[in-house]
Amino acid sequence: MEVKVISRSGKDLGSFSITDKIKVKDFKKMFNQKHKQFYPARQKFTVKTPTGPAVNDDDKLLVEFLQTDQLLVFRDLGTQLSWTFVYVVEYAGPLLICPALYYFPKLFYGTAAPKSLTQKTGFLLLMGHFLKRELESLFIHRFSSATMPLKNLFINCAYYWLLNGAFIGYFLFHPKYTEPKFSKATFAALLAIFLGSEGLNFLCHKTLRDLRPAGTKTRGIPKGYGFNLVSCANYFWEVISWASFAGLSKCVPAYVFLAATVFILSNWASMRHKKYVKEFDGKEGRPLYPKSRKALFPFVF
């Protein structure tokens, strides 16, 4: 069988002889041999037209997508970076910026003052959170796709380096920072909520990892640690962590970061929830996804 490939503008990119046993990932390697600059992670194919059905599963046979059409349209996804690399770099921002603001106040504020209990606690919580994130990125997370576009690195770094590390850090560690007036019980409760949420967030990530064997895109139905109520319990505990941090610090940038986090995670949770419902439809031996689950917030959304 001859498969012709054209660009989105209609340029002929060659014809390829394939068998009905060749997988999509093998075809991408063939294409890469002819077009060296387009390594497999940069390649995206659709059938017949730029808006046609996507050839989106590397482990499937190519003929399953082609059917009677033997024309593929190629799109260059651009420079790709591994998910792990992007995660490690984006989480490194607060780990570098916050200590600089905390330990060298004269350099950034022109003056210095003794750190309050909330400033000391906030610093430790931020460092602990992002160190946890780094370790999870390196040793826990298993991603459904190997890479993401280069532009995502700059977007993600702006979010964590600027909105969290620089924005929260600058005001939280400022020598003129006003210490919130809490009772010891309130302070302890907010601290406990943050630490508990971080722990549950980790257990959620561990649960998701255990559902996906290494090197696969397999997805299972997660249970426990909040997953019985929402599809994205890991996101839910992330929100609770930042809500307790904002309440503890009484710092406006922390509330801004919390609002941005809720907005972003709500969109991600909605998309993931829809994927779960679509994939686990109870047909052909597949389990049925629990109808009572919400996307992010129990009983609400």
Side-chain angles (χ1 to χ4, degrees):
M1 179 188 297
E2 287 286 322
V3 176
K4 184 178 180 180
V5 180
I6 61 173
S7 69
R8 292 167 66 86
S9 63
K11 179 182 178 182
D12 187 355
L13 297 177
S15 296
F16 301 82
S17 297
I18 68 166
T19 69
D20 58 2
K21 300 297 183 183
I22 191 170
K23 293 184 176 181
V24 173
K25 61 183 177 183
D26 298 319
F27 179 76
K28 287 184 176 182
K29 293 176 183 178
M30 291 175 58
F31 188 82
N32 179 226
Q33 289 176 354
K34 190 167 187 176
H35 301 278
K36 301 295 184 183
Q37 71 272 36
F38 301 131
Y39 47 87
R42 290 186 68 149
Q43 301 172 26
K44 180 179 180 179
F45 295 98
T46 54
V47 179
K48 204 172 183 177
T49 68
T51 57
V55 182
N56 55 9
D57 190 333
D58 284 356
D59 291 320
K60 282 190 175 182
L61 297 174
L62 183 59
V63 293
E64 293 183 40
F65 295 96
L66 291 175
Q67 299 178 355
T68 59
D69 298 301
Q70 297 176 18
L71 177 66
L72 291 178
V73 179
F74 167 73
R75 177 187 174 190
D76 177 19
L77 296 177
T79 302
Q80 300 287 300
L81 298 173
S82 77
W83 279 71
T84 299
F85 175 79
V86 173
Y87 273 31
V88 168
V89 173
E90 68 186 42
Y91 297 142
L95 291 173
L96 296 172
I97 295 171
C98 289
L101 294 169
Y102 187 87
Y103 287 111
F104 305 102
K106 288 186 177 181
L107 184 63
F108 297 98
Y109 307 111
T111 185
K115 297 293 188 295
S116 68
L117 175 62
T118 301
Q119 288 177 309
K120 293 176 181 178
T121 304
F123 176 73
L124 292 175
L125 296 183
L126 287 172
M127 293 298 96
H129 173 84
F130 286 105
L131 180 59
K132 165 183 166 291
R133 282 309 195 93
E134 293 282 29
L135 294 174
E136 287 175 339
S137 300
L138 292 170
F139 303 112
I140 297 294
H141 292 320
R142 287 176 177 163
F143 304 104
S144 58
S145 57
T147 63
M148 67 171 72
L150 174 64
K151 66 178 182 180
N152 286 19
L153 176 66
F154 301 101
I155 296 172
N156 292 14
C157 284
Y159 179 67
Y160 285 107
W161 287 58
L162 300 180
L163 193 57
N164 188 291
F167 192 36
I168 292 179
Y170 181 84
F171 289 96
L172 179 58
F173 306 132
H174 199 289
K176 294 185 179 180
Y177 171 78
T178 302
E179 179 77 355
K181 295 181 180 180
F182 288 126
S183 66
K184 290 183 179 180
T186 300
F187 184 89
L190 289 170
L191 180 59
I193 292 172
F194 181 92
L195 296 176
S197 299
E198 290 287 291
L200 287 165
N201 175 262
F202 168 78
L203 291 173
C204 289
H205 288 157
K206 179 68 165 53
T207 297
L208 293 173
R209 170 194 167 87
D210 292 342
L211 287 173
R212 173 169 289 160
T216 73
K217 296 182 179 181
T218 301
R219 194 198 312 271
I221 299 177
K223 299 177 182 179
Y225 309 117
F227 281 117
N228 292 340
L229 296 174
V230 295
S231 295
C232 299
N234 51 323
Y235 294 166
F236 172 73
W237 296 119
E238 178 87 1
V239 169
I240 299 301
S241 288
W242 288 117
S244 59
F245 181 86
L248 185 71
S249 65
K250 291 293 184 182
C251 187
V252 171
Y255 286 104
V256 173
F257 185 79
L258 171 62
T261 298
V262 170
F263 176 77
I264 292 170
L265 295 186
S266 294
N267 288 328
W268 290 357
S270 179
M271 290 188 291
R272 181 170 293 185
H273 180 73
K274 291 177 182 177
K275 287 182 180 179
Y276 277 132
V277 172
K278 182 178 180 180
E279 182 173 353
F280 301 107
D281 55 8
K283 300 177 182 178
E284 298 179 359
R286 293 184 292 270
L288 181 64
Y289 197 70
K291 295 183 178 180
S292 60
R293 289 191 190 183
K294 299 298 183 181
L296 180 59
F297 296 109
F299 314 114
V300 179
F301 169 77

